[in-house]
Amino acid sequence: METSVLVINCGSSSIKYALVPKDPAGPRLSGLAERLGSGEARLKGTDSNGEPFEQTLVDADHARALEAIFERLEGRLPAAVGHRIVHGGEHFTRAALIDDDVVAAIEQTAALAPLHNPANLAGVAATRRLFPDLPQVAVFDTAFHQSLPPRAYRYALPEALYRDHGIRRYGFHGTSHAYVSRRAAVLSGLAGGGWLTAHLGNGCSTCAVWEGQSLDTSMGLTPLEGVAMGTRSGDVDPGLHAHLSRQLSWSLERIDEVLNRDSGLLGLSGLTNDMRELETSAEAGHEGARLAIEVFCYRIAKSLAALSCALPRLDGLVFTGGIGENSAPIRERVTALLPHFGFELNRTINSETIRGREGRIDAGGRQLWVIPTDEEGQIATETRQRLEEATA
Ligand code: ADP
């Protein structure tokens, strides 16, 4: 019997997919349909021999792209489809088997994620129409953080904004923080414990996990809150919006655009949001690149220190995401800012041994780990668990 799960991450003009076998370490068929709805729509990926392919899908919509993706599965019909859904609001504390009620509940949270949830739902609708007999599960970026206590998720704002409009901190990157904190607990032999996790990719967030439960995280109502990111500002003074509006007559749309797309590493450096390029440029003496890296690392360390307040005990820190997994200098800078936490890096192992592989990089103090994230694997695992429960 086929036990693979097809993981789908549907954006407004793209669909990322991966066919994940039961053994998460097994080979995956994966790819990306992009520029959907345009004359340049296409599907790229790798087949079961690891050979790359690319096909044009002129003017294809999500449904046509999904058909093309299923044709690329080489006859392996998955046991279920796991959909990544960005926002589950307060409704979803875990993955959910998709039916009309679940779709309606996701629609209700669309106001909280106007760019993402409708696109995610387009993928769900197309898959349900094309494959009505295939079980489908929604896995939410926010669900892992539903264990935050009120002291961590409430803003100090009038209560009615929370009660009537759901304005609170939700947190994102939940599948990644869940996956790496569970791996850390297993690899360390602690079977639980207290962990700080730093997911550092284009989007960046930190999280405090105690006994497998998220107790606080750096992102909030939207994925803009928290540390500085590739192009996102992270925390700014909440008075900034009014200031820019009054002094520069900027519209809300413009402020939103600047904070989301022109800020972070890109804004600080005036150069790029790509950490590899920034490291090379900083080395060559570019002041903006140096400052961007310094601010980035300081803000991460400050966020981790703040989140440590959520934990009864701290066992270690985990780095993940494109930067966390690959950049030894960033890991070194961040841990160097936290000596009072007992973090002591083994600089040789940090710089030489670990390259995108799971491994422990401390010199014997509190534990420091690099754990490559596996959001697709985690979505497949949660999909399978939900399905097994439903059929038990
Ligand atoms: P996304 O959040 O879009 O999934 P990733 O997790 O792939 O992004 O992270 C992208 C970031 O990782 C980029 O800033 C990229 O420069 C950085 N990165 C990837 N490899 C390295 C490396 N070897 N050294 C430093 N940064 C790296």
Side-chain angles (χ1 to χ4, degrees), residues 16 173 199-204 230 232 265 272-279 296 320-330 355 373 375:
K16 247 171 124 175
H173 289 146
H199 176 106
L200 311 177
N202 277 314
C204 301
R232 284 176 241 164
L265 293 171
T272 174
N273 60 323
D274 189 298
M275 185 53 86
R276 272 164 301 200
E277 276 184 53
L278 286 173
E279 286 179 348
F296 182 76
T320 194
I323 299 172
E325 291 164 31
N326 295 300
S327 175
I330 297 294
R355 276 278 158 202
T373 195
E375 289 168 284

Side-chain angles (χ1 to χ4, degrees), residues 143-164:
F144 181 58
H145 302 301
Q146 278 297 300
S147 46
L148 259 61
R151 69 177 186 183
Y153 74 68
R154 285 292 296 274
Y155 290 113
L157 289 170
E159 200 257 340
L161 286 176
Y162 168 62
R163 192 185 57 231
D164 301 337

Side-chain angles (χ1 to χ4, degrees), residues 12-198:
S12 57
S13 64
S14 69
I15 303 178
K16 247 171 124 175
Y17 74 92
L19 186 69
V20 182
K22 188 155 191 187
D23 172 6
R28 295 177 189 179
L29 292 173
S30 62
L32 169 72
E34 57 185 359
R35 301 184 197 172
L36 297 176
S38 83
E40 288 167 5
R42 61 187 175 183
L43 175 64
K44 321 191 273 195
T46 45
D47 66 19
S48 54
N49 297 318
E51 291 294 321
F53 68 79
E54 183 166 337
Q55 83 184 73
T56 54
L57 293 173
V58 179
D59 294 331
D61 58 5
H62 286 87
R64 171 70 197 103
L66 278 164
E67 276 178 329
I69 288 168
F70 270 83
E71 282 159 21
R72 287 284 175 184
L73 301 184
E74 303 173 8
R76 294 163 60 189
L77 190 67
V81 178
H83 291 273
R84 177 196 178 209
I85 309 286
V86 167
H87 218 306
E90 286 189 327
H91 197 91
F92 296 103
T93 57
R94 51 189 300 225
L97 197 57
I98 294 178
D99 57 19
D100 291 344
D101 291 343
V102 165
V103 169
I106 299 171
E107 274 165 358
Q108 277 167 22
T109 63
L112 293 168
L115 298 179
H116 294 103
N117 273 25
N120 299 159
L121 279 172
V124 170
T127 320
R128 289 180 89 199
R129 218 170 32 245
L130 288 168
F131 307 98
D133 299 328
L134 210 52
Q136 317 222 11
V137 172
V139 181
F140 301 91
D141 269 21
T142 50
F144 181 58
H145 302 301
Q146 278 297 300
S147 46
L148 259 61
R151 69 177 186 183
Y153 74 68
R154 285 292 296 274
Y155 290 113
L157 289 170
E159 200 257 340
L161 286 176
Y162 168 62
R163 192 185 57 231
D164 301 337
H165 302 286
I167 294 177
R168 51 159 283 179
R169 308 184 64 253
Y170 290 95
F172 298 86
H173 289 146
T175 49
S176 180
H177 291 297
Y179 174 77
V180 300
S181 58
R182 278 167 203 164
R183 277 305 288 162
V186 169
L187 292 167
S188 64
L190 288 171
W195 297 93
L196 292 171
T197 53

